Amino acid sequence: MVLSPGILSGYGKPFGEDIDMARRIVSIGECMIEMSGGEDRAYRLGYAGDTLNTAWYLRALLGQDWSVDYVTALGIDRYSGDIRRFLDDNQIGTSHIQTIPNRRPGLYMIHQEAGDRHFTYWRDTSAAKLIADDKPALAKAVEGAELVYFSGITLAILAPRARGRLLGAIVKARDNGAKIAFDTNLRPALWSSPGVMMGVLTAAASLCDIVLPTHSDEAPLFGDKSVDDTADRYLELGVEEVVVKDGKDEALIATATERVRLAPPPGAHVVDPTGAGDSFNGAYLAARLQGKSLHDAATAAHRTAGIVIGHKGALVDPALVR
């Protein structure tokens, strides 16, 4: 059973009275409970997820003439309610979050080992896996959006037919004038096979205006020998703008007529790399929505990611990145 968004008292409240007058961004995906830390078996509870992280930085970097909605599904448990309140409190719209009884948010734990982060996930009963089961609700969620953003993880958690429904809603949104942005965000463990993952992500990218892949993730699977190979592969699909991230190395922003290469500024102090790519995406898209050039948008994106990796967790205080 799926309840309509906002049907429960106190849930789904828009964050501002003038929300309908704002230019609208929609980010689609899964918000999870995050347990981080682990020192002496003490963990910190937070909320995160790749598309939520990007929505967070879009909200932080755009003025109130923009609304940023997060589209997902949650349950009726305590933590689902906390997530809704957390989003509302941070001016991220919740009016199109579906409510699915007997489902809960997914959960993951981060632990440090040998100087690197390792993740353990529990998401089998995640409500977000059913986000595309209600086709009318999904269509309503993207209606009137100026930008729709989603990721490879958004697709990976869905059943095959549900992926088709989500992509159908995205095509309709694009036909109605929305720009579509997509981070391929490869997570092989979430897919039935590398071939299925590559096929679905390639098909999804062909529907998009802006694609934001990570070269080091894509190269082993697609055989890309350089960031240019990664960019060319997506440009050949008809993508207008490809933003290839490559960690501490140069990012490449490519269109049919222009290529911009820009390295992160030197001297960044890495405390926690969680959310670096997601924050890069949010800052880049925010800059482009404000009419900034490819170079200036990439500069803003590197700056924001550099701030985020200097703090613990994927979501830093918005005041730090403004």
Side-chain angles (χ1 to χ4, degrees):
M1 177 183 178
V2 180
L3 302 182
S4 298
I7 197 168
L8 297 183
S9 176
Y11 283 177
K13 180 182 177 182
F15 65 76
E17 291 181 355
D18 296 326
I19 191 168
D20 291 336
M21 302 300 293
R23 301 169 70 184
R24 186 163 177 261
I25 298 167
V26 170
S27 184
I28 306 172
E30 180 182 29
C31 176
M32 303 184 73
I33 300 166
E34 177 189 83
M35 302 298 293
S36 61
E39 300 86 0
D40 298 322
R41 298 185 180 273
Y43 285 85
R44 293 180 296 274
L45 185 150
Y47 303 114
D50 65 334
T51 54
L52 172 60
N53 302 343
T54 296
W56 180 269
Y57 293 103
L58 280 162
R59 176 67 281 158
L61 293 163
L62 291 171
Q64 293 303 311
D65 53 334
W66 287 93
S67 69
V68 179
D69 283 359
Y70 194 61
V71 176
T72 189
L74 295 167
I76 56 175
D77 57 288
R78 170 182 176 176
Y79 295 103
S80 290
D82 284 350
I83 288 171
R84 293 174 188 269
R85 284 185 288 274
F86 172 75
L87 297 177
D88 280 332
D89 289 347
N90 287 284
Q91 298 189 342
I92 295 173
T94 60
S95 59
H96 291 284
I97 292 179
Q98 297 178 43
T99 301
I100 303 177
N102 302 316
R103 290 277 181 154
R104 294 181 174 84
L107 178 148
Y108 68 96
M109 298 181 75
I110 307 173
H111 66 276
Q112 300 284 338
E113 184 177 309
D116 198 5
R117 296 168 304 139
H118 296 265
F119 298 82
T120 304
Y121 291 90
W122 292 264
R123 67 193 334 161
D124 288 349
T125 60
S126 169
K129 296 176 76 170
L130 304 182
I131 189 175
D133 285 16
D134 188 335
K135 188 174 179 180
L138 191 60
K140 185 68 174 175
V142 299
E143 187 177 297
E146 191 161 330
L147 176 75
V148 176
Y149 177 80
F150 69 116
S151 77
I153 294 177
T154 310
L155 293 170
I157 64 172
L158 302 178
R161 289 186 180 180
R163 289 174 197 149
R165 286 190 290 272
L166 174 61
L167 293 177
I170 285 169
V171 168
K172 186 173 181 179
R174 190 183 187 191
D175 289 345
N176 289 333
K179 289 289 186 181
I180 310 299
F182 176 53
D183 183 342
T184 52
N185 216 347
L186 278 67
R187 294 292 186 272
L190 295 176
W191 294 88
S192 59
S193 73
V196 170
M197 177 179 67
M198 293 163 66
V200 172
L201 298 185
T202 298
S206 71
L207 308 175
C208 299
D209 301 287
I210 304 173
V211 174
L212 304 106
T214 298
H215 170 69
S216 57
D217 291 344
E218 306 236 338
L221 286 161
F222 290 97
D224 301 335
K225 295 182 179 179
S226 67
V227 290
D228 289 273
D229 287 347
T230 302
D232 288 340
R233 182 163 46 81
Y234 288 109
L235 290 173
E236 289 168 5
L237 294 174
V239 178
E240 294 179 1
E241 190 169 321
V242 184
V243 184
V244 187
K245 297 159 288 181
D246 199 19
K248 62 181 177 56
D249 295 322
E250 285 184 336
L252 170 65
I253 299 87
T255 70
T257 59
E258 186 177 3
R259 294 204 175 207
V260 172
R261 302 173 195 276
L262 192 68
H269 176 56
V270 181
V271 172
D272 181 359
T274 303
D278 304 327
S279 64
F280 182 105
N281 294 350
Y284 181 87
L285 293 170
R288 293 294 283 153
L289 289 168
Q290 295 175 97
K292 293 185 179 179
S293 68
L294 302 181
H295 181 277
D296 288 351
T299 300
H302 276 315
R303 173 188 173 274
T304 299
I307 292 168
V308 170
I309 63 176
H311 297 78
K312 288 187 177 181
L315 307 181
V316 306
D317 184 340
L320 295 174
V321 300
R322 290 186 181 127

